[in-house]
Amino acid sequence: MTAVRYELIKTCKQSGARLGRLHTPHGVIETPTFMPVGTQATVKTMSPEELKQMDAHIILSNTYHLFLRPGHDIVREAGGLHKFMNWDRPILTDSGGFQVFSLSEMRKITEEGVHFRNHLNGDKLFISPEIAMEIQNALGSDIMMAFDECPPYPADYDYVDKSLERTTRWAERCLQSHARPHDQALFAIVQGGMYADLRRKSASQLTSMDFPGYAIGGLSVGESKELMYGMLDCTVPLLPAQKARYLMGVGSPDALLEGSIRGVDMFDCVLPTRIARNGTVMTSGGRLVVRNAKHARDFGPLDPNCGCYTCTNYSRAYLRHLLKADETFGIRLTTYHNLHFLLDLMRNVRQAIAEDRLLDYRDEFFDRYGMKDNDRGF
Amino acid sequence: MTAVRYELIKTCKQSGARLGRLHTPHGVIETPTFMPVGTQATVKTMSPEELKQMDAHIILSNTYHLFLRPGHDIVREAGGLHKFMNWDRPILTDSGGFQVFSLSEMRKITEEGVHFRNHLNGDKLFISPEIAMEIQNALGSDIMMAFDECPPYPADYDYVDKSLERTTRWAERCLQSHARPHDQALFAIVQGGMYADLRRKSASQLTSMDFPGYAIGGLSVGESKELMYGMLDCTVPLLPAQKARYLMGVGSPDALLEGSIRGVDMFDCVLPTRIARNGTVMTSGGRLVVRNAKHARDFGPLDPNCGCYTCTNYSRAYLRHLLKADETFGIRLTTYHNLHFLLDLMRNVRQAIAEDRLLDYRDEFFDRYGMKDNDRGF
């Protein structure tokens, strides 16, 4: 018996989108879903109550960061990540692979695992598939991710081929060393860079093992949106229909829509929280930089079509003032709005799938409010 | 008719403390009370809902800061400070005097007012009693403060004498130029440095004019606590019993208790919010620096005797992690706790006055939990 079970409710008659439910030890997630990112055991500036208020079903936290600080032993002693951070809904933890590989000059990859330096203090550290499992078992997330290699973009064919083969071997080692399969589900990550046949090869190898869910990794790394959608088109159909599908690191409204249309169930991205800290918000009219001088005397809400806490109670003029004055409350308010915006979008996506009209909804989403092309990606 | 009316409910039979109610256009304040400071139209990191949850009756905001940014014209256009910041309970604004005089090298005092440079961009600016009233009338606070000079400490007798005379003349000009006496109350500020006879002189001059409340300014500026209490002892008895009394810039637990015992009704201080940002919290056992390494595996609450949101839901280990990782949510949680701690203290002070046992309560407060002398002031 697996800790997590995907239930397919229906498929959109107008697209490949799926309406589903992901059953986990900490509750049910309605899919397609967007997962706010809580890198260091907190979704930056937000309380758990606020995340529930905006109806976040699941959040993501980063294995690499928690391994470094406070250390997974401390989180285990606290009773696990849920208890440590006071979040009783589902948590997905990534494998740490993406962060470790992003260190570039500071790491060395071997078959055994990856040697790297702690970016906080320079200490030498090592993560292998077994250690990634040990850390995530200590964190106690509902969904763990297999330790993978995310190749750079661009990368040549041979490198990506060898890399995905290693990712497959590592996935097998993860499966073997996973100590709590009845409490925590382990998802594998399909790699293969921007090569369709390598994507198919990776998917084929990983689906031959029995994982309760599959992620598509190594996308949204600098390639064009068209190329990313092409990779989804050749990968998703190879993934089993009775398992959840997760597109990693994607959170712009257009990509959430296009990913859902192609049959993806789960997404995560730091985009909404990161741009919020710079004073940029997502609105039904497109991107809005509320720090700009033109909003100094603008007493309307960020988005007249939004019913979130921020838009209900605060003006652009007030938000601009807070951001200019480096007041944290301003970032709380823009973060709340951006997360609400994406979670609201996903609610509408689920509704549109239920009504077999997701392609129509996508077009309406962009056209109704006259959102410009270059605003779609934020 | 004045905008604000103080109602004396009873005097403690064991001390000079007063239980009262301050009636304002935005509601009733139970006194003695502590006012959280929202310098830039926000109590740092807190939402209005959180301030209400911890039962803050009134907050303070700073005229100088809002004059500079976003500018009082913008706040007026927004419909006033209450609407701008989404706070529908009472607000007190200071006069800007204290901040302007703190600029030391950057300002020049004349009988007309004070010339100074904007600390944000170096622009030349000027505030007079009339301008301080214009700004505060635009902000629309329930309680405005007269523009005063807060002399440095130490300062010689003649300087303080001349200064308090000017503060009296300025108070009269404030009274004359106050445009909204029916909506906003204007409090005068007693000065006189650390000279008992000058304190009496200032109090006598200002109480001869009819202000709806009186503040005691120029204390907690570096002098000993004993000296401060001595100044209260010679000033408070000269203030009219039917008017509110406000001790400016004081917020350590011992001073809140001693001030209440001496008949003060209102206090404000940045202390609880400022030390919270450095990871220091007020507890029933004294000062606690939650950033310290010894709390890394401490899974208990900040204060086992506290029922606040932070202490109910989060451990010292989690808070230490958040603060070490520069996560804003950690500061939200320590700020919440510290403000709750002082507001809870003031609730207990009011209860103790009602029961005629404030001196006993003061001793219990420090003794019961073994709070050390040097922890009392935080």
Side-chain angles (χ1 to χ4, degrees):
Chain A
M1 196 203 123
T2 176
V4 161
R5 181 175 61 84
Y6 175 74
E7 174 193 359
L8 177 61
I9 297 173
K10 72 160 286 184
T11 302
C12 176
K13 293 203 175 85
Q14 206 178 52
S15 70
R18 295 141 46 99
L19 190 67
R21 289 193 196 99
L22 196 60
H23 299 265
T24 84
H26 287 87
V28 177
I29 301 155
E30 294 182 47
T31 62
T33 194
F34 175 78
M35 303 183 281
V37 177
T39 296
Q40 303 190 108
T42 171
V43 176
K44 287 191 189 301
T45 78
M46 291 288 98
S47 72
E49 290 74 15
E50 285 160 344
L51 293 168
K52 289 180 180 180
Q53 192 178 36
M54 62 178 79
D55 207 22
H57 293 175
I58 174 172
I59 62 168
L60 178 148
S61 200
N62 289 106
T63 293
Y64 167 79
H65 290 85
L66 297 177
F67 173 55
L68 264 49
R69 186 172 55 193
H72 57 292
D73 51 338
I74 285 182
V75 178
R76 178 172 39 211
E77 284 177 47
L81 187 53
H82 292 86
K83 193 167 172 203
F84 187 58
M85 68 182 290
N86 186 35
W87 174 254
D88 58 9
R89 292 190 181 179
I91 298 175
L92 181 147
T93 45
D94 68 359
S95 69
F98 182 78
Q99 274 80 21
V100 168
F101 291 106
S102 301
L103 297 172
S104 57
E105 295 309 302
M106 296 164 73
R107 46 92 176 152
K108 182 167 177 290
I109 309 169
T110 69
E111 181 64 19
E112 179 59 18
V114 184
H115 296 270
F116 62 99
R117 286 188 183 275
N118 181 332
H119 76 274
L120 299 171
N121 61 18
D123 282 358
K124 287 184 183 177
L125 293 170
F126 176 68
I127 295 187
S128 63
E130 290 76 15
I131 293 171
M133 292 300 98
E134 183 192 329
I135 300 169
Q136 293 182 76
N137 282 151
L139 299 176
S141 48
D142 299 83
I143 301 173
M144 303 160 52
M145 300 305 300
F147 192 63
D148 63 325
E149 182 186 350
C150 179
Y153 175 75
D156 67 45
Y157 187 91
D158 284 350
Y159 181 90
V160 175
D161 191 14
K162 287 196 174 67
S163 170
L164 80 84
E165 295 273 4
R166 182 158 51 207
T167 288
T168 298
R169 291 191 297 276
W170 284 0
E172 194 146 20
R173 284 166 57 189
C174 285
L175 208 51
Q176 294 303 321
S177 59
H178 179 12
R180 303 173 58 187
H182 297 296
D183 305 321
Q184 301 176 265
L186 173 63
F187 282 18
I189 303 174
V190 175
Q191 291 289 354
M194 305 305 159
Y195 303 102
D197 62 323
L198 296 184
R199 285 276 161 192
R200 285 190 286 265
K201 183 177 179 183
S202 176
S204 158
Q205 290 181 353
L206 293 169
T207 54
S208 74
M209 295 179 265
D210 190 27
F211 289 95
Y214 291 90
I216 301 149
L219 293 180
S220 196
V221 290
E223 81 281 11
S224 69
K225 288 274 170 74
E226 289 65 31
L227 187 50
M228 176 168 83
Y229 301 148
M231 292 298 109
L232 287 183
D233 286 332
C234 70
T235 306
V236 175
L238 298 177
L239 301 177
Q242 72 281 15
K243 305 284 180 71
R245 304 158 177 175
Y246 160 31
L247 176 56
M248 307 181 83
V250 164
S252 64
D254 53 348
L256 293 176
L257 285 161
E258 297 296 339
S260 297
I261 285 166
R262 287 164 175 79
V264 173
D265 307 306
M266 305 161 72
F267 305 86
D268 82 284
C269 195
V270 296
L271 181 78
T273 44
R274 178 171 290 166
I275 67 176
R277 294 197 293 282
N278 297 324
T280 300
V281 293
M282 299 174 171
T283 76
S284 57
R287 176 199 300 253
L288 186 143
V289 183
V290 71
R291 290 182 73 101
N292 283 351
K294 68 178 173 182
H295 301 300
R297 290 164 190 274
D298 185 342
F299 301 109
L302 289 178
D303 186 346
N305 297 301
C306 178
C308 83
Y309 170 73
T310 303
C311 288
T312 305
N313 295 298
Y314 303 94
S315 66
R316 293 179 181 184
Y318 182 61
L319 290 162
R320 174 175 189 269
H321 162 64
L322 292 178
L323 293 165
K324 295 283 287 181
D326 287 327
E327 285 286 357
T328 300
F329 189 51
I331 297 174
R332 277 182 65 174
L333 293 174
T334 52
T335 299
Y336 191 102
H337 170 83
N338 278 353
L339 287 175
H340 179 277
F341 184 84
L342 291 189
L343 292 167
D344 199 49
L345 170 63
M346 297 314 288
R347 270 189 293 275
N348 291 333
V349 164
R350 292 194 296 270
Q351 181 67 28
I353 298 171
E355 296 168 359
D356 295 309
R357 55 184 301 280
L358 186 56
L359 295 183
D360 294 345
Y361 175 74
R362 173 195 58 188
D363 296 343
E364 288 162 17
F365 181 82
F366 291 123
D367 294 347
R368 191 173 8 166
Y369 305 113
M371 192 183 283
K372 299 182 198 79
D373 272 1
N374 59 4
D375 277 343
R376 295 186 181 189
F378 287 92
Chain B
M1 196 202 123
T2 175
V4 161
R5 180 175 62 83
Y6 175 76
E7 175 193 359
L8 177 62
I9 298 173
K10 71 160 285 186
T11 303
C12 176
K13 292 203 175 85
Q14 206 178 50
S15 71
R18 297 144 39 104
L19 191 67
R21 288 193 199 99
L22 196 59
H23 300 265
T24 83
H26 287 88
V28 177
I29 301 155
E30 293 181 50
T31 61
T33 194
F34 176 77
M35 303 183 279
V37 177
T39 297
Q40 303 190 108
T42 170
V43 176
K44 288 190 189 303
T45 79
M46 292 287 99
S47 71
E49 289 75 14
E50 285 161 341
L51 293 168
K52 289 181 180 179
Q53 193 179 34
M54 62 178 78
D55 207 22
H57 293 175
I58 174 172
I59 62 169
L60 179 147
S61 199
N62 290 107
T63 293
Y64 168 80
H65 290 85
L66 297 177
F67 172 55
L68 264 49
R69 187 172 56 194
H72 58 292
D73 51 338
I74 285 182
V75 178
R76 177 173 38 211
E77 283 176 47
L81 187 54
H82 292 85
K83 192 166 174 205
F84 187 58
M85 67 181 291
N86 186 33
W87 174 255
D88 58 9
R89 293 189 181 180
I91 298 175
L92 181 148
T93 45
D94 67 0
S95 69
F98 182 77
Q99 273 80 19
V100 168
F101 291 107
S102 301
L103 298 172
S104 57
E105 295 309 302
M106 296 164 72
R107 45 91 176 152
K108 181 166 180 289
I109 308 168
T110 68
E111 181 64 21
E112 180 59 18
V114 185
H115 296 269
F116 62 100
R117 285 187 184 273
N118 182 334
H119 76 276
L120 299 171
N121 61 17
D123 281 358
K124 287 184 183 178
L125 292 171
F126 177 68
I127 295 187
S128 63
E130 290 75 15
I131 294 172
M133 292 300 98
E134 183 193 327
I135 300 169
Q136 293 182 78
N137 282 150
L139 298 177
S141 48
D142 298 84
I143 300 172
M144 304 161 53
M145 300 305 298
F147 192 64
D148 63 325
E149 183 188 349
C150 178
Y153 174 77
D156 68 44
Y157 186 93
D158 284 349
Y159 181 90
V160 176
D161 191 15
K162 287 197 174 68
S163 170
L164 81 84
E165 296 273 5
R166 182 158 51 206
T167 288
T168 299
R169 290 191 297 274
W170 284 1
E172 193 147 17
R173 283 166 56 188
C174 285
L175 209 49
Q176 294 302 321
S177 58
H178 178 12
R180 303 173 57 187
H182 297 295
D183 306 319
Q184 300 176 265
L186 174 63
F187 283 19
I189 303 174
V190 175
Q191 292 288 355
M194 304 305 160
Y195 302 102
D197 62 321
L198 295 185
R199 285 275 162 192
R200 284 190 286 266
K201 183 179 179 184
S202 177
S204 157
Q205 290 181 353
L206 292 170
T207 54
S208 75
M209 294 180 265
D210 190 28
F211 289 94
Y214 291 90
I216 301 150
L219 294 180
S220 197
V221 289
E223 79 282 11
S224 70
K225 288 274 170 75
E226 290 65 32
L227 187 49
M228 176 169 81
Y229 301 147
M231 290 300 107
L232 287 183
D233 286 332
C234 70
T235 307
V236 175
L238 298 177
L239 302 178
Q242 72 282 14
K243 304 284 179 72
R245 304 157 177 176
Y246 160 32
L247 176 55
M248 307 182 83
V250 163
S252 65
D254 54 346
L256 293 177
L257 286 161
E258 297 295 341
S260 297
I261 285 166
R262 286 164 176 78
V264 172
D265 308 305
M266 306 163 71
F267 305 86
D268 83 285
C269 195
V270 295
L271 181 77
T273 43
R274 179 172 290 167
I275 67 175
R277 295 197 293 280
N278 297 323
T280 300
V281 293
M282 300 175 171
T283 78
S284 57
R287 175 200 300 251
L288 187 143
V289 183
V290 72
R291 290 182 72 100
N292 283 351
K294 67 177 175 184
H295 301 301
R297 291 164 190 275
D298 186 341
F299 301 108
L302 289 177
D303 186 345
N305 297 302
C306 179
C308 83
Y309 169 73
T310 302
C311 289
T312 305
N313 295 298
Y314 303 93
S315 66
R316 293 178 182 184
Y318 182 62
L319 290 162
R320 175 176 187 268
H321 162 64
L322 293 179
L323 293 165
K324 296 284 286 182
D326 288 326
E327 284 286 357
T328 301
F329 189 50
I331 297 173
R332 275 183 67 175
L333 293 173
T334 52
T335 299
Y336 191 102
H337 170 83
N338 277 353
L339 288 175
H340 179 277
F341 184 85
L342 291 189
L343 292 167
D344 199 48
L345 170 63
M346 298 314 287
R347 269 190 293 275
N348 291 333
V349 164
R350 292 194 295 269
Q351 181 68 27
I353 298 171
E355 296 167 359
D356 295 309
R357 54 184 302 281
L358 185 56
L359 295 183
D360 294 345
Y361 175 75
R362 173 194 59 188
D363 296 343
E364 288 162 18
F365 180 82
F366 292 123
D367 294 346
R368 190 172 10 163
Y369 305 111
M371 193 182 285
K372 299 182 198 79
D373 272 0
N374 59 4
D375 277 343
R376 296 186 181 187
F378 288 90

